[in-house]
Amino acid sequence: MADRPLTLMAVHAHPDDEATGTGGVLARYAAEGIRTVLVTCTDGGCGDGPGGIKPGDPGHDPAAVAAMRRQELEASCDVLKISDLEMLDYADSGMTGWPSNDAPGSFWQTPVEKGAARLAELMRHYRPDVVVTYDENGFYGHPDHIQANRITMAALEMTDLTPKVYWTTMPHSMMKRFGETVREFSDDVQEPDPAEAAALAEIGLPDDEITTWVDTTAFSGQKFDALAAHASQGENIFFLKMGKERFSDFMGMETYVRVKDATGAAVPENDLFAGLR
């Protein structure tokens, strides 16, 4: 390990996901001299177009949206001081149930082994000590997030690497705070129906099942600015409504569940690199 830097690889589905879930650790570990590698799996073409034009509406051009979001992603990487950006450039599959889920060439339609082989090649090149992605449900069921989990876990099986592997998550206590904050900052939020409420309650994990609590409060400003770099999607990024001070209070702790480890580091832990330095 002496001849190469410690390396964190985050595998995300879309441009802006890197900031929402892992912006704090990416900024923190970059500041500590760790190489940070971001793999973004899709082009983000199902995002909003200029003026908030929605996918499927007249004037929405997925290719133009993807090009715009690539520039925003590069700006976010500059803010977070990410060392290396790799884009797999699969077509954005859109939200669950959208016609784009079934489009040929979409990430959701890509065979897992094909995507995994490409990611495994990147893993062999960068040889990450820590890999972060979503859980098996993509945190909240988004098809591209689920696919990112699948190709990440399959790619690891294709290599001889033994990094610590983490899935992003949120403790139930924080999810409760999130719901309260949404109601505070939104005038038109309606109470979810029982089925939706039950689904929301399943997101994240009980607090005592969280293995890793990383304090990134000192880097919350960078995380906020990285989210703001994705200006075209600002309508969909609730956290920007908070302002930096409230954002820092709410988003200063990033939480993960450790699913693979060869270091024997005790849990709960407060450092993704515990046992590695």
Side-chain angles (χ1 to χ4, degrees):
M1 197 177 292
D3 61 346
R4 65 179 182 83
L6 284 170
T7 300
L8 165 65
M9 175 180 282
V11 182
H12 281 291
H14 312 98
D16 77 31
D17 289 334
E18 80 291 338
T20 305
T22 57
V25 294
L26 287 166
R28 170 180 163 168
Y29 290 123
E32 293 179 7
I34 287 170
R35 180 169 60 177
T36 51
V37 181
L38 170 63
V39 180
T40 301
C41 296
T42 80
D43 60 10
C46 285
D48 289 358
I53 299 174
K54 303 297 181 184
D57 287 350
H60 186 276
D61 180 350
V65 171
M68 174 177 62
R69 297 194 72 184
R70 170 64 184 253
Q71 293 180 336
E72 292 174 342
L73 177 60
E74 291 173 351
S76 173
C77 288
D78 286 343
V79 170
L80 298 174
K81 309 301 182 187
I82 290 171
S83 309
D84 300 272
L85 170 63
E86 298 283 355
M87 295 197 71
L88 300 186
D89 269 335
Y90 289 109
D92 189 343
S93 309
M95 300 295 285
T96 302
W98 288 13
S100 48
N101 293 176
D102 302 318
S106 71
F107 189 38
W108 185 240
Q109 290 299 316
T110 299
V112 169
E113 60 272 17
K114 182 177 178 181
R118 294 182 61 195
L119 182 56
E121 185 177 343
L122 293 174
M123 288 179 173
R124 294 187 193 101
H125 174 72
Y126 288 107
R127 302 192 69 80
D129 302 282
V130 172
V131 174
V132 176
T133 192
Y134 316 98
D135 63 21
E136 293 165 309
N137 190 46
F139 185 59
Y140 67 98
H142 193 298
D144 286 332
H145 291 214
I146 294 171
Q147 189 76 331
N149 167 276
R150 290 174 177 173
I151 73 161
T152 300
M153 304 312 289
L156 288 163
E157 294 297 320
M158 294 177 178
T159 74
D160 62 354
L161 304 173
T162 57
K164 297 178 79 177
V165 180
Y166 294 90
W167 293 346
T168 58
T169 191
M170 190 176 285
H172 285 167
S173 61
M174 194 179 296
M175 284 298 300
K176 181 180 178 183
R177 282 184 62 205
F178 176 66
E180 294 167 350
T181 306
V182 168
R183 285 189 286 275
E184 177 185 348
F185 283 89
S186 304
D187 298 326
D188 57 352
V189 173
Q190 312 229 336
E191 287 295 324
D193 65 36
E196 289 178 341
L200 287 171
E202 292 298 315
I203 293 177
L205 290 171
D207 290 40
D208 61 2
E209 293 182 20
I210 304 292
T211 64
T212 311
W213 305 71
V214 185
D215 186 354
T216 62
T217 306
F219 303 92
S220 294
Q222 278 176 262
K223 183 172 178 174
F224 185 94
D225 290 343
L227 273 172
H230 297 280
S232 69
Q233 310 306 307
E235 180 183 329
N236 302 318
I237 302 175
F238 164 78
F239 300 107
L240 295 176
K241 298 178 183 179
M242 295 181 176
K244 276 191 176 180
E245 185 174 344
R246 287 294 301 277
F247 179 87
S248 177
D249 176 59
F250 186 78
M251 299 290 285
M253 182 72 70
E254 292 187 351
T255 52
Y256 304 86
V257 58
R258 193 173 82 190
V259 293
K260 286 184 179 291
D261 172 60
T263 70
V267 292
E269 59 188 358
N270 59 13
D271 179 9
L272 298 181
F273 287 85
L276 292 168
R277 57 179 177 171

